[in-house]
Amino acid sequence: MKKICICNQKGGVGKTTTAVNLSTYLSSMGRKTLLIDMDPQSATTSGIGIDKSKLDRTIYDVLLGECSIKDVIVKTQLENLDIVPSDMDLVGAEVELSNEVGREFILRDAIADLDGYDYLIVDSPPNLGVLTLNAMIACENLLVPVQAEYYALEGLAQLLRTAELITRRLRIPLKIRFLITMYDKRTRICDDVANQLREYFGDRVFKTVIPRNVRLAEAPSHGKPILLYDPNCKGAIAYKKLAEEVDSVEW
């Protein structure tokens, strides 16, 4: 099972959009996929079409040791895609886990017995707190969406330092790849940021670029991934290509 954490402490970079749509297209390729929502905002849960008001348990209950992760898995409207949902209760997890010994490893231990999945995709919060650390350590493979804007590269420094600390102190070899998102070919800054990323990180930057696309922004409000909302738009085509690239590369 290939495990991928979608992370960036900067909000508004297309992290949840990537988690939802990458998972969707991987599942459409016949890859059995589990999507885990580790963000208290739970936009991934609602964006994939899950009614949060009808949930009995979420990832919050798993992290607090009240149930197994298998007890929380919910089927989605796509045949090969399941989800471990989230809700606002997860806000309290940061505080409740603060004094737990080994709190950074709770998710890793929770997924240890999972089988039957080809991919595990984890959406993390827009910070570098204990929930994001859990996601990073559990997955080891990090996919970092980077918005094509002026401050994008500055925002990566803290994330890279955190990943380096995890690798050095915990001896967990995190592997990082970058995804350029919200790309607008009409603006020079987008080209500049993309070129700088590729110059600095080389082939660790995905060839696929996600364009700025209105249909991608609309789809979550309908509780649908872009595959079900508008599979022919530019955003959908880009995420389909990304899924194919993710499925073909060695991390």
Side-chain angles (χ1 to χ4, degrees), residues 155-193:
L156 292 179
Q158 186 181 2
L159 175 64
L160 293 173
R161 282 196 298 270
T162 300
E164 182 184 358
L165 284 172
I166 291 173
T167 297
R168 188 171 73 246
R169 294 184 180 179
L170 301 179
R171 297 183 180 180
I172 297 173
L174 300 183
K175 291 158 281 187
I176 307 175
R177 283 184 175 269
F178 302 90
L179 172 68
I180 299 168
T181 61
M182 301 183 184
Y183 181 84
D184 187 343
K185 63 182 180 181
R186 298 171 299 178
T187 61
R188 181 174 176 179
I189 187 63
C190 286
D191 278 335
D192 290 344
V193 170

Side-chain angles (χ1 to χ4, degrees), residues 112-127:
D113 295 331
L114 280 178
D115 54 21
Y117 289 101
D118 300 303
Y119 282 94
L120 187 149
I121 309 292
V122 182
D123 185 22
S124 61
N127 59 52

Side-chain angles (χ1 to χ4, degrees), residues 3 5 102-109 111 130 132-142 159-176 204 251:
K3 296 167 286 186
C5 169
R103 59 189 177 275
E104 298 91 352
F105 301 97
I106 295 174
L107 182 61
R108 187 185 71 175
D109 294 342
I111 65 174
V130 67
T132 299
L133 291 179
N134 262 271
M136 294 168 72
I137 290 169
C139 293
E140 299 187 11
N141 301 311
L142 311 184
L159 175 64
L160 293 173
R161 282 196 298 270
T162 300
E164 182 184 358
L165 284 172
I166 291 173
T167 297
R168 188 171 73 246
R169 294 184 180 179
L170 301 179
R171 297 183 180 180
I172 297 173
L174 300 183
K175 291 158 281 187
I176 307 175
R204 285 197 286 166
W251 214 265

Side-chain angles (χ1 to χ4, degrees), residues 37-43 52 86-91 94 125-126 131:
D37 190 352
M38 285 284 283
D39 189 344
Q41 297 178 59
S42 57
K52 290 180 285 187
S86 169
D87 63 13
M88 285 299 294
D89 287 346
L90 196 55
V91 170
E94 294 269 3
L131 296 177

